[in-house]
Amino acid sequence: MKKELMDFLKSSLDYGSMNEKDAYEDQDVFLLMCFSDLIGVPNPYAYYMSELLPYIARDLPSWQWRLTQDKLEFLGDAEQKYDFHTF
Amino acid sequence: MEELEKFVFFAGKGGVGKTTCSSIYALKCSERGLKTLLVSTDPAHSTDKILETTLDEKEKKIKEALWAKEIDASKEAVSHRKKIEKEMKQVVGPDMMNKLQGYLKMTHNSPGVKESALLDALIRTIKESKRYDKVVFDTAPTGETMRLLQLPELLSSWSEQLIERRKKNLEKLGRVGEKSKVDLDDDPLIKRLKSRENKLKFGRKVLLNRSSVIPVITPEKLSMLETKDSIKSLEKMGVDIPGIVLNRIASETATEERKSYEKKILNEIKKNMDKKVMGRVPLMEEEIIGVEKLSEHIDELDIC
């Protein structure tokens, strides 16, 4: 009973932004595994991964933004230098 | 006479005689009453020239109980890309569509695409081969054959990881509320990943359990050494290699030096490769071209 109560209190105080960040990070890693060549890292499975494009195409611009602007600032102006596909 | 599995692959480096041997074998099977399909996967499409006909993706009857077709990896890659583009058009706007099309063209032209596309076409051929008793492939040089067989292994574990990640991802998003009703089984992305994984697993199952791979060797030291290595790596992956076929054996009209050199190599083959010799096709004055000439060599293969 105590555990259930603690869990309830914990989740009610859970700041949505914390979970959101976690969830986005996971999705970012997933997209990175599939579409690394979109940020210049060659991916030998690109042919098979491209089959997933119709399902995640809408997430790509924000994903790219998070990867290049949000965390990896040095990649910000590398767009001109490297083979990026940006959306 | 050794009976091979339903799916038979002739392996070996380029120019060693896979097209010739696979054609002779396919003819032999058809003459024994087995409904046979000969599949050319060779980018050079020498099977067309050897059968003196033109082949395409549709199965063509060559003679009684023998059909032939060819698999074109480039065409396969193009139709793969077009299918994705069609699905995408329903989801994204024209601006995004343009950029994604550029990306797709790039992924479908990089090295390694031919192997992936070839594997897909191979799997489809196998799936659609219920009406045949025997399906014979003249696979491209050994290196590619090996990679084809390794792909299902690598991709299977790859997609398993992706699915796990995706599941975790959806669970978290579910708590966040971006997708209020998170049903893992209905997620189209997971469905797509699963179908890709199943396709490759099916291919692997057939390649490891219902296939015989027959390396073709010419009586030359280099040919023997290269084949020995590839046999080892193929068998490590669980491929069944019941024996080898020797091609371009010296005939009676060869010089004595050639005949004795060949005897030496054949002894080394016996010693080094613990493999039964299941066929001996001689070096002819002219190339073996045409169904009639191919038929003359049917008895030189001890397999069916």
Side-chain angles (χ1 to χ4, degrees):
Chain A
M1 171 64 180
K2 194 173 182 185
K3 184 181 183 295
E4 270 83 275
L5 192 61
M6 291 306 288
D7 279 345
F8 172 71
L9 287 174
K10 227 189 199 173
S11 59
S12 64
L13 291 171
D14 233 334
Y15 294 110
S17 60
M18 290 298 278
N19 264 350
E20 207 169 282
K21 196 168 183 235
D22 223 5
Y24 277 122
E25 201 163 281
D26 244 4
Q27 189 187 57
D28 288 350
V29 174
F30 173 77
L31 287 178
L32 186 62
M33 282 166 82
C34 301
F35 300 102
S36 60
D37 45 346
L38 282 170
I39 58 158
V41 178
N43 188 334
Y45 304 118
Y47 179 85
Y48 290 116
M49 293 303 118
S50 61
E51 290 169 5
L52 304 176
L53 270 176
Y55 308 108
I56 53 87
R58 282 181 296 194
D59 294 330
L60 284 177
S62 57
W63 168 75
Q64 232 176 16
W65 185 89
R66 280 195 302 277
L67 241 56
T68 58
Q69 249 72 63
D70 213 27
K71 294 185 181 70
L72 310 166
E73 279 131 356
F74 68 90
L75 276 179
D77 60 18
E79 195 183 320
Q80 284 87 40
K81 297 188 213 157
Y82 299 103
D83 217 357
F84 284 22
H85 282 258
T86 50
F87 299 101
Chain B
M1 187 80 66
E2 173 119 1
E3 214 176 292
L4 301 179
E5 298 277 356
K6 174 174 176 178
F7 300 100
V8 181
F9 295 82
F10 282 83
K13 64 187 268 256
V16 83
K18 297 185 295 296
T19 306
T20 309
C21 293
S22 56
S23 304
I24 297 173
Y25 176 67
L27 262 168
K28 185 177 182 116
C29 291
S30 68
E31 299 228 333
R32 291 174 74 88
L34 297 169
K35 267 172 112 181
T36 309
L37 174 65
L38 175 63
V39 183
S40 168
T41 63
D42 186 1
H45 298 298
S46 10
T47 308
D48 288 37
K49 297 162 192 129
I50 238 189
L51 294 178
E52 295 179 313
T53 183
T54 41
L55 299 174
D56 56 35
E57 317 86 51
K58 280 207 273 285
E59 292 144 19
K60 184 180 198 173
K61 189 163 193 176
I62 304 295
K63 64 189 289 264
E64 191 61 44
L66 179 62
W67 285 262
K69 76 175 226 182
E70 75 178 23
I71 288 177
D72 190 329
S74 324
K75 275 195 196 159
E76 177 76 28
V78 167
S79 73
H80 183 258
R81 173 169 62 83
K82 292 227 156 104
K83 188 165 164 233
I84 296 172
E85 282 179 6
K86 194 166 158 215
E87 285 176 21
M88 270 198 320
K89 275 202 174 98
Q90 300 169 4
V91 194
V92 297
D95 203 26
M96 179 80 157
M97 189 64 202
N98 257 333
K99 293 178 175 165
L100 283 170
Q101 271 176 321
Y103 169 70
L104 271 178
K105 282 212 171 91
M106 188 195 77
T107 58
H108 281 61
N109 279 313
S110 29
V113 160
K114 285 245 168 107
E115 278 86 30
S116 311
L118 185 56
L119 184 62
D120 270 0
L122 223 76
I123 292 174
R124 197 181 339 108
T125 300
I126 290 172
K127 278 200 170 135
E128 296 172 356
S129 69
K130 284 214 160 85
R131 52 192 282 247
Y132 297 103
D133 304 311
K134 189 71 80 175
V135 185
V136 185
F137 299 90
D138 68 344
T139 48
T142 330
E144 288 173 42
T145 315
M146 273 165 55
R147 262 176 287 147
L148 278 177
L149 294 173
Q150 274 184 317
L151 272 170
E153 208 89 52
L154 296 169
L155 276 157
S156 229
S157 70
W158 180 261
S159 64
E160 268 169 33
Q161 284 181 52
L162 287 173
I163 288 173
E164 269 318 297
R165 213 158 251 293
R166 177 69 178 168
K167 280 185 178 167
K168 270 201 224 151
N169 177 25
L170 281 177
E171 279 166 6
K172 287 188 179 167
L173 285 174
R175 283 213 299 271
V176 171
E178 180 175 311
K179 302 179 192 221
S180 46
K181 270 201 177 150
V182 176
D183 192 351
L184 289 172
D185 293 324
D186 270 348
D187 179 45
L189 188 75
I190 287 188
K191 271 195 183 153
R192 197 73 200 68
L193 273 174
K194 276 275 171 198
S195 97
R196 168 47 66 190
E197 186 191 327
N198 289 335
K199 199 182 208 181
L200 294 174
K201 276 199 168 140
F202 169 78
R204 184 174 54 181
K205 198 171 79 160
V206 172
L207 288 168
L208 297 185
N209 298 335
R210 295 170 61 200
S211 305
S212 305
V213 173
I214 307 286
V216 179
I217 314 182
T218 52
E220 276 149 9
K221 190 151 194 166
L222 220 60
S223 181
M224 177 196 78
L225 291 173
E226 286 179 10
T227 310
K228 187 173 157 206
D229 283 340
S230 65
I231 284 180
K232 249 199 217 150
S233 27
L234 281 172
E235 286 185 320
K236 239 194 223 171
M237 288 188 274
V239 174
D240 180 36
I241 302 181
I244 59 174
V245 164
L246 297 172
N247 191 29
R248 298 203 190 103
I249 300 273
S251 64
E252 290 308 306
T253 60
T255 61
E256 283 310 311
E257 286 100 348
R258 178 71 200 180
K259 282 196 219 168
S260 67
Y261 176 75
E262 201 179 88
K263 226 181 184 170
K264 217 174 59 169
I265 298 291
L266 291 176
N267 275 330
E268 274 191 53
I269 289 178
K270 222 191 213 170
K271 220 173 37 175
N272 286 330
M273 289 200 254
D274 193 17
K275 289 290 169 199
K276 198 161 144 189
V277 174
M278 292 168 143
R280 289 182 154 83
V281 182
L283 175 66
M284 307 298 289
E285 294 292 320
E286 294 172 351
E287 296 163 284
I288 308 172
I289 291 180
V291 174
E292 240 184 82
K293 279 207 184 150
L294 286 165
S295 304
E296 291 168 14
H297 295 267
I298 281 181
D299 291 327
E300 288 157 7
L301 295 181
D302 223 6
I303 38 176
C304 70

